[in-house]
Amino acid sequence: MSKPGYKQVKRMTVFMRLNHWVVAICMVAAVITGLYIGHPYYQTFIADPAVDKYVMAWNRWVHFMVAIIFDVSSIVIAYLYFFSRFEKPYKKIIPTGANIKEFFEVLINLLTLNRRKNFESSHSDSFNAVFFFIFHVLLLWMLLTGLQLYVHGLESGLSSIGKWWPAMLHWATDWTIPASAWLLGGGAMPTLMDVRIVHHLSMWLIITWVAFHIYYQVWRTIFWKESDIAIVVGGTKFVKEDKEG
């Protein structure tokens, strides 16, 4: 229902909302199972030993499945970045004069608790576009390092679907070993442990990103009074009549 003096503006399509919640659910599952894989922190409630009920195997399976969903989601989002008919996010991360100005105006708005608001809030702004771009880069890095850890479980070079699968994964992700060592300070002999550590640290960066994302959406809803938090549910928000573009 529209509010007096406000106009309802579409901000997300049905697919964008579904994708948002699929990613959110998968992320929770990936964090829970990833923490268990790195350091098993719970035992089953049945008397049988955990090893007999494949607790680790189930955690690894769920972790791998949600990673595959992330893969598909990332590919779709990368496509929509450039070819979406609704909006093309790449236009907002290009460092043009208008985008840079909008980025800092939104940042100032945040830091001054909405005391200054010199930008249009009826569409996706440059600050949010850059913020989400960082998130997708982190997700891509997690996927590549995760697949590098996974492919080393296929030491024989074989898999149930053929040799091409581990060969392709090695081709696509072996570079993450020296890259991870470099990120950790540059060891003389890069090892898989460097990838494992960086994969784990990246998870905490993503959790930090999610915490700020939730905080910022609530913040905007309270200060802007445009129902931003409802976008991921109904796909729309409200803007004042004279602000609607």
Side-chain angles (χ1 to χ4, degrees), residues 80-83 88-94 99:
L80 294 177
Y81 245 71
F82 298 96
F83 304 110
K88 297 177 174 59
Y90 84 90
K91 292 184 177 179
K92 282 292 180 179
I93 59 175
I94 297 174
N99 285 342

Side-chain angles (χ1 to χ4, degrees), residues 194-219:
D194 295 320
V195 181
R196 195 179 303 279
I197 293 172
V198 168
H199 189 75
H200 183 81
L201 293 177
S202 299
M203 176 199 69
W204 288 109
L205 288 178
I206 290 178
I207 291 175
T208 303
W209 186 98
V210 171
F212 180 77
H213 169 59
I214 295 172
Y215 164 80
Y216 189 43
Q217 296 308 311
V218 173
W219 186 95

Side-chain angles (χ1 to χ4, degrees), residues 31-244:
V31 170
I32 292 173
T33 53
L35 288 173
Y36 184 86
I37 294 168
H39 182 74
Y41 56 89
Y42 69 87
Q43 178 59 280
T44 58
F45 297 107
I46 305 175
D48 298 336
V51 67
D52 293 335
K53 294 190 289 294
Y54 307 107
V55 177
M56 177 59 80
W58 277 112
N59 273 277
R60 290 175 64 88
W61 183 84
V62 171
H63 197 75
F64 185 68
M65 288 298 110
V66 296
I68 295 297
I69 296 173
F70 271 142
D71 271 328
V72 175
S73 171
S74 297
I75 292 171
V76 172
I77 289 173
Y79 174 83
L80 294 177
Y81 245 71
F82 298 96
F83 304 110
S84 172
R85 289 187 296 178
F86 179 66
E87 63 181 16
K88 297 177 174 59
Y90 84 90
K91 292 184 177 179
K92 282 292 180 179
I93 59 175
I94 297 174
T96 63
N99 285 342
I100 293 173
K101 180 181 179 183
E102 185 181 59
F103 177 92
F104 283 105
E105 285 294 344
V106 178
L107 180 60
I108 291 171
N109 174 258
L110 173 63
L111 296 177
T112 60
L113 303 179
N114 201 40
R115 289 182 174 84
R116 167 171 152 171
K117 191 166 183 282
N118 296 333
F119 59 92
E120 177 60 65
S121 58
S122 64
H123 57 72
S124 178
D125 58 70
S126 296
F127 181 84
N128 239 10
V130 171
F131 187 57
F132 271 88
F133 179 74
I134 293 171
F135 172 67
H136 291 125
V137 170
L138 284 172
L139 274 188
L140 179 62
W141 174 248
M142 286 295 280
L143 291 169
L144 292 170
T145 52
L147 287 173
Q148 170 61 208
L149 295 172
Y150 161 78
V151 75
H152 278 269
L154 307 173
E155 295 180 358
S156 65
L158 299 173
S159 73
S160 59
I161 54 177
K163 295 181 180 179
W164 66 271
W165 174 239
M168 185 189 72
L169 292 182
H170 275 297
W171 174 79
T173 67
D174 279 358
W175 63 273
T176 61
I177 299 177
S180 297
W182 178 79
L183 287 173
L184 293 175
M189 291 291 291
T191 66
L192 203 59
M193 182 55 71
D194 295 320
V195 181
R196 195 179 303 279
I197 293 172
V198 168
H199 189 75
H200 183 81
L201 293 177
S202 299
M203 176 199 69
W204 288 109
L205 288 178
I206 290 178
I207 291 175
T208 303
W209 186 98
V210 171
F212 180 77
H213 169 59
I214 295 172
Y215 164 80
Y216 189 43
Q217 296 308 311
V218 173
W219 186 95
R220 296 194 338 172
T221 302
I222 294 173
F223 280 93
W224 294 1
K225 303 183 187 308
E226 295 177 349
S227 302
D228 286 76
I229 199 72
I231 294 175
V232 290
V233 179
T236 61
K237 64 176 288 183
F238 296 94
V239 294
K240 288 183 179 179
E241 295 281 4
D242 58 349
K243 290 186 177 181
E244 199 275 328

